[in-house]
């Protein structure tokens, strides 16, 4: 396991909790897992694992069983930050695999005509009053063509919700690394991606790390 994976996982859990709190449904941190037994915002998990090892796995499995008995409506998911929690026999389907990424130093590259601004106005559903949160939008002229969010926690900065057209993706990843370094100086930038987005991040200087998995309750 990479020495920074645990920090990236904890940062992501803090981000999930911040979003849930902004919606009035804060979660709870256990020793080895973040959990939320309420209905969470779309695309966010009800649990995130925070550690590996036999003790951690026992707590995580028990917590998942408790969540299953809580009769959460609809399909809900568990983010297995270390790819060690097999839920295939517990009524879950594997939604996707992804890879943790990290950038310590923003990479140089071709300039882009995208103009970036930090969104200071209130946005429904996002923790905009949190000093550890930042949201950026990139525009060509009057058209928004890219965006991303940052969250500072656990001595790293997590990047998420990256939006970019394929042709712009490498430049967007370089730009967001520079903006993150300016907004939250002297902290590593972490996140996770898969597929073309992962390729764009690595091309732009990000280090690929460990695998994570997201499990979702099976359809009836």
């Amino acid at each position: 396991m990479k020495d920074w994976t645990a920090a990236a996982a904890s940062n992501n859990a803090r981000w999930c909790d911040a979003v849930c709190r902004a919606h009035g449904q804060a979660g709870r941190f256990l020793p080895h897992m973040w959990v939320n037994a309420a209905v969470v915002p779309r695309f966010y998990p009800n649990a995130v694992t925070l550690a590996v090892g036999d003790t951690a796995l026992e707590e995580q499995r028990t917590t998942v069983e408790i969540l299953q008995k809580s009769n959460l409506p609809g399909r809900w998911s568990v983010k297995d930050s270390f790819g060690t929690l097999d839920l295939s026999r517990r009524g879950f389907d594997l939604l996707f695999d992804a890879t943790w990424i990290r950038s310590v130093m923003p990479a140089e590259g071709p300039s882009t005509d995208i103009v970036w601004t930090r969104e200071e106005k209130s946005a429904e559903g996002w923790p905009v009053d949190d000093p550890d949160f930042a949201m950026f939008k990139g525009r060509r002229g009057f058209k928004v063509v890219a965006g991303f969010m940052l969250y500072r926690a656990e001595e790293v900065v997590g990047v998420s919700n990256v939006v970019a057209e394929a042709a712009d993706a490498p430049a967007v990843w370089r730009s967001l690394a520079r903006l993150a370094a300016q907004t939250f100086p002297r902290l590593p930038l972490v996140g996770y991606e898969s597929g073309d987005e992962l390729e764009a991040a690595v091309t732009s200087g990000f280090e690929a790390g460990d695998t994570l998995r997201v499990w979702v309750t099976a359809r009836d």
Side-chain angles (χ1 to χ4, degrees), residues 13 16-30 33-41 44-48 63 66-67 70 72 76-78:
C16 291
D17 192 64
V19 173
C20 289
R21 277 190 282 110
H23 284 80
Q25 298 286 6
R28 185 179 165 210
F29 282 87
L30 304 177
M33 196 171 202
W34 173 82
V35 62
N36 196 326
V39 176
V40 298
Y44 283 82
N46 281 83
V48 180
T63 303
I66 293 172
L67 280 176
S70 69
L72 281 167
W76 52 275
S77 64
V78 174

Side-chain angles (χ1 to χ4, degrees), residues 18-135:
V19 173
C20 289
R21 277 190 282 110
H23 284 80
Q25 298 286 6
R28 185 179 165 210
F29 282 87
L30 304 177
H32 307 296
M33 196 171 202
W34 173 82
V35 62
N36 196 326
V39 176
V40 298
R42 190 181 181 192
F43 302 126
Y44 283 82
N46 281 83
V48 180
T49 63
L50 302 175
V52 292
D54 293 340
T55 301
L57 279 173
E58 183 177 352
E59 177 190 278
Q60 292 157 7
R61 289 168 182 154
T62 299
T63 303
V64 170
E65 289 175 1
I66 293 172
L67 280 176
Q68 287 180 300
K69 293 175 182 177
S70 69
N71 296 317
L72 281 167
R75 302 184 84 196
W76 52 275
S77 64
V78 174
K79 184 176 290 177
D80 174 17
S81 304
F82 308 93
T84 58
L85 187 63
D86 187 355
L87 298 179
S88 59
R89 297 183 180 180
R90 296 176 181 268
F92 286 79
D93 293 328
L94 182 61
L95 184 62
F96 64 82
D97 287 319
T99 301
W100 291 109
I101 55 175
R102 178 180 71 157
S103 174
V104 178
M105 183 80 63
E108 296 299 325
S111 61
T112 173
D113 60 343
I114 296 176
V115 177
W116 293 95
T117 56
R118 181 172 178 176
E119 298 298 294
E120 302 290 351
K121 297 180 180 178
S122 177
E124 184 178 354
W126 301 112
V128 291
D129 296 328
D130 189 330
D132 293 318
F133 171 76
M135 177 169 60

